Structures are given as structure tokens and as C-alpha cells.
Amino acid sequence: MWTDKTRKSVKRFAYLLLEDGDQYIQDWIASCRPGLVGPGAQKPSQQRKLKGRLRLCARAIFFEPDYIKAPILMFPFSKITKIEQLVEPSPTTSTPTSKWKSRQEGFVLNTSMVIKMKEDGIDAPYVFEKKSSIWWFSLEFAPVQQFLHQAQSLLSINALPFAERDMVLQNAAAQREAKAQFDKSRLVDLSEYVLLDLPAFQVTPLVREPGRLVLTQARIYFQPLHNLNDDNPVRSQPYSEVLAVARRRHSLRPIGLEIFFKIVTESGAAPGGGVAEGASAFFTFRDSNLRDQVVSMLLEQLGGQSGAAAAAGSLLEADSSWLNRVTAAWQARLVSNYDYLMYLNLAAGRSFCDLTQWPIMPWILCDYKSSKLDLTDPSVYRDLSKPIGALNPTRLDVFLERFSQMPQEDYSRAPFLYGTHYSTPGYVLYWLVRAAPAHMLRLQNGRFDSPDRLFVSVAESWESVLNNPADLKELIPEFYAPPSDFLVKREGLNLGIRQNGEPVGDVKLPPWANDPDDFISKNRQALESQHVSMRLHSWIDLIFGYKQRGEAALAANNLYHPLTYEGVVDLDSIDDPVERAGLEAQINEFGQAPRQLFTSPHPSRLLKRTAMVVNSDTLSNYSAKSEGFRGLSMEFVSRIMALASSSSDNVGTVTPLVSASSIKFQIPSDELTTKATLVTPPRKLRSGTPVPAGILKNKAHFMTSDSDTEDSPMGRHHDDEYAESDGRKSEDVSDWRIDSAVSSSGSDFALSEDPFDVVKNVVIQLPSKLRRNSTETRVGHERDNLEDTEPERRYPEAGVVLQNVENVDETMAWHSMFRQRLSEPQCLKLHRSPVNGCVLSEENASGSVTMYSVDKDGFIKVYSISEGFQVRATKLGTLPLSCLALAKSSDAYPTVLAGSYDDFVYVYSVDYGRALSKMRVHDETVSCVRMSSSSSERMLTASWDSTLKLWSIGEGRGSWAAGTAAPEAEFLEHDSAVWSLDVQPEGNFAISGAEDGTILAWDLRNPTSSVWRCSGGGSATGLRLTDDVNQVVAASTDGSLRVLETRRSGAVLASKEFKSSLRCCEIAGDLIIAGSADGSLFFWPHIFPSSGSTSKTTELATEFLDYSPLRDHTDSINCLSLTCHANGRAASFATASNDCSINVYSVGDR
């Protein structure tokens, strides 16, 4: 698309020379003579006459000389002072052979500015001559009145205010387009007849060309409204060359249609040329109904809904069945990373025809200074789990601060983190200025950007996207596939001189790149590397997935201006033409998010298993061999469809659109394949998980990497480097691994003579909904022999055979083997400051697991764990919120009580999304809030003022409206700040811990004195009563956990020391859990006498179980919350941390 055509034709005029919003009207063959006004002005007879073409547009007049070395002249109507008819006397009346008649009719044009462009056919900055001048024109074959009538009307129209001017010009353009008719004499075959004839625009980068789209029974035609250079009156392509038809959007409106072609040649094109210059043609229509009418007629001519074009269109429109299958094929490493990203771009509506929707690729590397690139070193890679704007924490803080100051409740102006997008026309042309200078000139109003702001150096560009608040751009596909000519300056292209005196030439490459081709090659190797393969799903979540918009985007620091998202504004419903034009311009100029393809976490790629060889030099490398590949090829679509089909149908079945003779499969023997059945887990289980004896029968082999990092398809981000399994194997299992395809450079693919050499016998992970009755084990990083009680079942949707296993969760209480059955965490970054408290609860109208949390920014947030969305986010005050508790309510959700640093307890209604009231309950920070309901609903609060207070509360919203006047009781025996508190849910027993390590037990009916007192070595940071209130677990800053007997004045029953200061604790059956200051989660199995277990059985149960600590946070864990589900066999567990995140774990199956 960006090939150099400047020397192929002397025709220099193109739509790119028009200003944005201008419309082409008509042209004439004419002659021109220039002159100046004022002293020294020359007569027309003294000026050289130029022959050429006079072009009339809605906002300017152009004159294109036939002499290519002379510049094209542009006269904006806004600078023209007069246009009038003029009879010019002949300069050579005595010469009979003169080409001029004795009297030549023409017109004279007075202007204060003339713009010169394309001199000598070179794309260079326009020359703006801002001085008064006069120009004489004569028409060669038409009466001058034909031009003057239109030009003088346009001169008057352009003098109107902009809004009126644009409305009049748009109405006039609509009338011209409506009058246009298709020239049936241009049909290629006399037997053809018109089936559909509609007005349409053909979209190419920065251009919308009006015309008529016509469908016959044999071909597609597009007749431009204006044949600018008399060389292409009608464009045509036969249906036999159509590969796919896909619906598209334009300016975030569903009015686009993209037609993809198999072969880009002129063999089947009409004499004027084909419809598409590249691999596809993009059209827009007045509304979606017209677009759908064209799609329906096209598919009918291409074989109907069951035809290959319809199937390919469904693939490119991200039909759910195709999308799932392509994703599964990528997971199984049948599709390379490049091809998968290209597919996602096309499926999300990105197009090489539309500069506002150019395909997006990620920055992969961050090392552009080293002399040698080591792709096995993780430090050379960019963090793909963060958007560009969040890579620099200091710059992110600036964005977050600005966001916090934006109105939060003004839905007409929703707050955002980033005002600039990661993909805009300006960003695309920043990369492609050397390949497409004319487009840059159009975008920059006739100028290149300042030389110091151009794409000069890869390293400088990376530093800019890391540090510049206005630079968030990602890369484009050109960085990962040849040709590399966009990195090389064309001959004659002058991009200016930088402030350091250096001219802008070829792009400066990193020291590790030998030349532009080597740079592209190494970029591609990095993209296909193992490191990127196991992390690419995180970037997909940001660009195409569930983190693209909404609360998930905010939590991921990935929230852009609302106008970049589809569906935020309906342009068709806006009647004010000025407002509509402004919004449309903003949408097209400042970036558009791709269509959202995934609403849940994207599955990670499978680990490279021994049953698989993947030479990812397949589609992408094949297509890359065709220089200039920038779109969709027949091989690409056929291969994607074939591989996607293979991931859902039987393993040996592939039905490509083209011959599959080049596809080779390498399938192990039946014996080995039988042994290689995979059992996938419902979630990632922690290492050390036991498999109860006798529940599995038939042998199945587990194959895991040494790092034990296998995840479910909807798994979490992989933070560690993945390694191949070592050479060890069980003696009773034959080794069916095949040599790794990892190249020495660290990439995840190796070059192959056959670009389609792949292995189809690949284990594919199941979607989570298909893996409910599964389990996993890992012993010594090796395969284990397991037995299955049920016969195997086949899931065609997933493309694998799954051995069913009995669900252990159905026979276990929720707290049984709690640590061993604990899932990988769901990391929620809902807050932008440390999280001080969280509570999990199923007490709501829907019975769904819901999480309530508060942070140091004063925010309270309510998140549905079951449904995966944020219910509420409200800022209650300017000071931090310290703690929270739930109170019964007649509404759908319980009432939330949030303690604050401002000495108040805020009473928050989730249903109404606001604070019902606030109560000043202490003279210092409220450190703890608990609810008790013995005879009535009561609230117990604790504070840094060293007191506890008991408040009588009625049930329902009304009881909170006026607040509570005075406490029912005060407890005053502490000598220092109270840090921890727990209370009997339905009784009168409470216990509190203080900064000085004192722990006091209370009878709420007798506030005058405590029941008992005990002291410890460190501050009492966490207290938790057992269900029968006979024991209490106490966590301290000195790293100790103690079990105290409440009936024996706090006597210590047991204790355990840890190496880290403890911040909170929780009880799960016979397991004590503690959160520490370094982010670790500690587990202490302890038999509580009331549980009914014996010491001996506990020893037997724990001897072979793993209770090692977990480290899923990077900073102090401030709060733990545990809720048992209604079925009694499952639970949810949450940890809140100073690292601003909340991790939610699950045990069992709800």
C-alpha cells in the first residue's frame, strides 16, 4: 500500500491533497498565468503560460500543471478576495499562427495566499506564499461561465460561519452523490445485469472516495464519483476472487463492509483496474441497513450462508464458535503469536484500509541499547500485563492524580486516565512517515512534524513512550514482518534537520540489529519467544479483552477517553451538525479501541509439552515471504480455518479452503497416544496436593514443567519463566517426547523448509465449564499413574478426550485440606491505594458471593465475585477508611459500616450507592467495627483513643437516617490504641487487643470491668474467636500466633513463632491462617478440642500435607476474610494488601 509510485505516473493530484472535510466537484483543462499586485507587477503577457488541469473543490481551487517540475497550486477560498470574468487581449495579435485568439475569455483570481505542493512530483512540505497575487486562467474546451457560476457561489458560501458553511457544503455534496448514476456501458460482460446499485464510499487511508457500488451476477463494481486522472472510471473484481465478506464499523458506527480478495492481480480486473489496491476493499454506507443489504446480496452470489466466503466472514467477524476454536489452536501452538494477533486485529475490525483502525501490535522488547540481544533473558522484555501508560510508575501517579480530581458522578463526562490513545492515525504515520509521506502531509496540514518529534531512533521512541505523558503508542504489524522499507528514507525525501544539527535519515536501529531486515527478524523472534508466549494473553486482555473497558480497565490502569470506546455515543442520534462533526473528528483523530472480543480473562498459552512439535514458521512466515504483505491472504485464512477446525473436530480432520498438500502431520503411535490422555484441573491446585487413594482407576499420565506453572485456560498471569521439563521419566512410561522446536536464539519457533510443518496431536486445555469434574496432582515434577472410576467422555468443543474423575469436593467439607485445595488467586486490582479491609459475604438477595472493601483513599468498593463485575465504587470521605462490617438490611444488599480516620463510622447503602449517614463514634481513628445481635442489633467499635463503645442499632435503613445519639456502653480499661477486635456474633462475649500487647475479654452486659486480661510480646494485630467462643487465636507483631483458652482467663493452649511480623489471622476448620507484613500467608494446622478430631488423626492427616507459606502479595497483608458457601463444601477466601490488590481464592465447588 505504501509502495513508491511517484515516478510511475505524471499524475500527481489525489484526494490526499484536499483538506479534511473538503469535497471534490469538477475539473477542466485550462491554462494559467501568474502575476503580482503592486509596484513591479508584471503584465500577463510577460508571464509564462502553464497548461494543466483546473480542479474545483468545495473549499479550494487547485491548478495542476502538466509540467511535472512545476508545483500544484492551491487557492483556498478563505484567502481569495475576488473571482471575476476577464477578457484578455491577445499578446500576439499580428501573428496569424498564434495559439491565442484575438480575444481570450477567462477569469482572474485575486488571493492573499497561494499554497504550492508536489513540486517535481516529490512529497515535501507545502510552501505557503502569504502575499497578494493575481492569477489569470482560461478554459480550453469549456465556456468560462460553467466554472464562474460555481466558483463565485462557493466563494460566498465559504464566507459564512463555519457551521453554516459546512451544512451547506454537505447538502450540496449529498445532492451531487444522489444524482450520480452507474454507467452500464462499463460492464465487463454484455450478459451481466445489475442486481444492486447503491451510493457508497470507498475508504483508503485518510480518504473516503464517493461513488456507486454495483453488484451483478458475476462481479463487484465501484464507480467513483470523480475520475480524477482519467484513468480509472470503473473498478471491478470477479466473485471468483472474493475470499471473505466481513461487516465493519467506521467512526464507531456499524456502517462498514470489507471485502477480502484471494489474489491481487489484474487478470480478472476490468480495464480500469480492480476494486482493491491491496488485499481488501473497504466501503461505508449511509446506514447499517444498506450495509446489511449489500452483505446479504454478496453472500447470496458467493454460495449463500453455507459457502466458504460466509464461513471466512464469520471467522473475521469473531463469531463465537470460530473465535473459541482459533484461540484453542493458538493455545495448542498451532498458530503463531503473530498470526493470532493479526487474526484478533482483523476480528476486532482493524483494517489496513482505515488509518483510524490500523492493526495494533505490542512493544515486546525494552532493551534497545545492548550490543547483543539475549532472548533467553527475561529482563529484555516489556511487561505485557501493563498498558503503556502504566509501565512508568512515576508517570502513572500523575495520571491517577488527575483521574482522582475528575468528577466521578458526571456520566456525560466520564473520568479517564489517558487522554491520548495507543493507536491513532498520527501514531501510525509517526512510524510510517518514510513510507507514506503524503499521508503525513495530509494529516499535518501540509507539513511534516518537527524533526525532533519524528521517528528517528527506536531507542528514543521507546524512551518517549516510557516517560512522555502524551505518548502512549503501541507498535504496528510492520515491526514484525517484512518488508523493512518503512525504516529507510526514500531518495529525495527531506524530513528536516534536528536541533542537534543531524538531518533526519534512516531510522537509527538498536546496536543488536545489523540492518533493518535483521531488526524485523529479531523483533519477530522475540514475539514468538517462550517468554512472550506465556504472557501474551495478559496484553490481549488489555487491548481486546475484559480489561479493555469498565471497572476491570480502571483496576488495570487501562482506562482511556470515553469517546475511544464503541457504544459510548450514538452519532446518528445527534441532530446538531456542529456537535456531530466535532465528535466524529475527535473519534477519528484521537483513537478508537478495537471491538471487545473477550469479556473474561483470556486463556494462557499451553506449556510446550513433549507430545508436541510446533514450528511456528507457518502462516506468518509464509505470508511474510510475499513482500509487502499487509492484509489478509488466501493462505492465511485457509490455514487459520483449518487449524481452528482441527482444534474442535477429531484430531486427524482438517478441511482447508485450499489444497493442504503442504501440510504435514507427525502423530505418535496409537500406543503412546493412548497413554497420553490429559486430565485437566478445574483450577490450578497448589503443589503438594494429595490425591485420596482409590478414587481414580484408569491410568493417565500427567506431564508438567519443572516450574509447576500449568494453568487453566482462564488462568492467571504467569510471573515466572517457563522451562522445558527435564529429561527424567518414569520407568513404566515410554518417552514419547519429540525434540524441542526452540531455537538457540530463545524464540519459540524454528525455521523450517516447510512453512506448514506442524504437529496436530496436541493436548488442548479445556474451557473451565468443561473441567468441573477433574483433579490434578504433581509429585517430583513427574507423571503419576492415576485411576479413573468413570469411562472417558469426548468433548468435541474442546478438541480433546477428557478422562472423568470423581469430584473430591462433593465428599469434603469446605475446610478439609483447605491449604491443599486452595486455588490460584484471582488478583483484583480494584483499588489504587492500600486496602485496609475487606469482607466476603453471600448475604444478599441473589445469594452470590460479594466482596466489600475499603482503602486509604476513602473509597468503598463492592464487587461481585460470582458474576465478575464491580457493583459500586464510592468515595465516602477525604481521609482513609480503616475497617468495615456488614449489618442486616431489608434491601437487596446488607448495609456497610465503614470506620474512618476522621473518627466517624459511615453507614453505606449498596442499593442506593451513597452514605445514609455518618456517626462520630470516637475521638481518634476508628480501628475496628463489629456487629453483634444477641437480643437486638448492636455495633461494637474500637479506636486508637484506647476505648471500645457499644451502640444499639435498629434493623433497616431508617434506623441509620438520624444516626445514634450516644453509645449504650463504653469500655475504658485499655491503656493504648486498640488494634484488633472480635465479638460473638449472637452473644455477649467480645475480645480486644491493643498496641501494647494487652488482650482483654469483655462481657458486653458489664462494661465496668473486663472478664480477664493477658499480655504478649508484641502488639495484638489480629484476633479471631472459634465458633464456640472457647478459644481465641491472637496474632502479634512479634511474629507469634497463640491459641488462648477463654474459659481459663486467657491461658495459652498452644503457640507458634514465625519469622515475619503478623498483621491479621483467620480460622478455617483446624487450620489457622495468618497474614504477615512481608505479604506472606502462613498456615498452622491446629486441633481445636471442639472440632471432634484427635491429636493422632491430626498428625496422620498433616504428616504428608504441604503447609508451606504462600507469597501472592508484594506488601503487607492487612485483612483476611473467609466465607463458607451455602452447600457447606466450598468457601471463598480473600486477602487485602498494602500493594493495592485483593486476592480471592476458592476451595471446593459451589
Side-chain angles (χ1 to χ4, degrees), residues 608-640:
K608 284 189 293 191
R609 296 184 174 274
T610 56
M612 165 171 49
V613 169
V614 178
N615 290 327
S616 295
D617 182 22
T618 56
L619 302 178
S620 44
N621 280 355
Y622 178 85
S623 57
K625 293 174 184 177
S626 301
E627 186 165 332
F629 173 76
R630 288 290 184 269
L632 194 73
S633 69
M634 180 65 177
E635 292 79 9
F636 184 95
V637 173
S638 300
R639 192 77 179 124
I640 285 281

Side-chain angles (χ1 to χ4, degrees), residues 1000-1014:
L1000 299 180
W1002 304 94
D1003 184 344
L1004 299 181
R1005 295 165 295 189
N1006 180 20
T1008 58
S1009 64
S1010 60
V1011 177
W1012 51 261
R1013 169 192 294 257
C1014 74

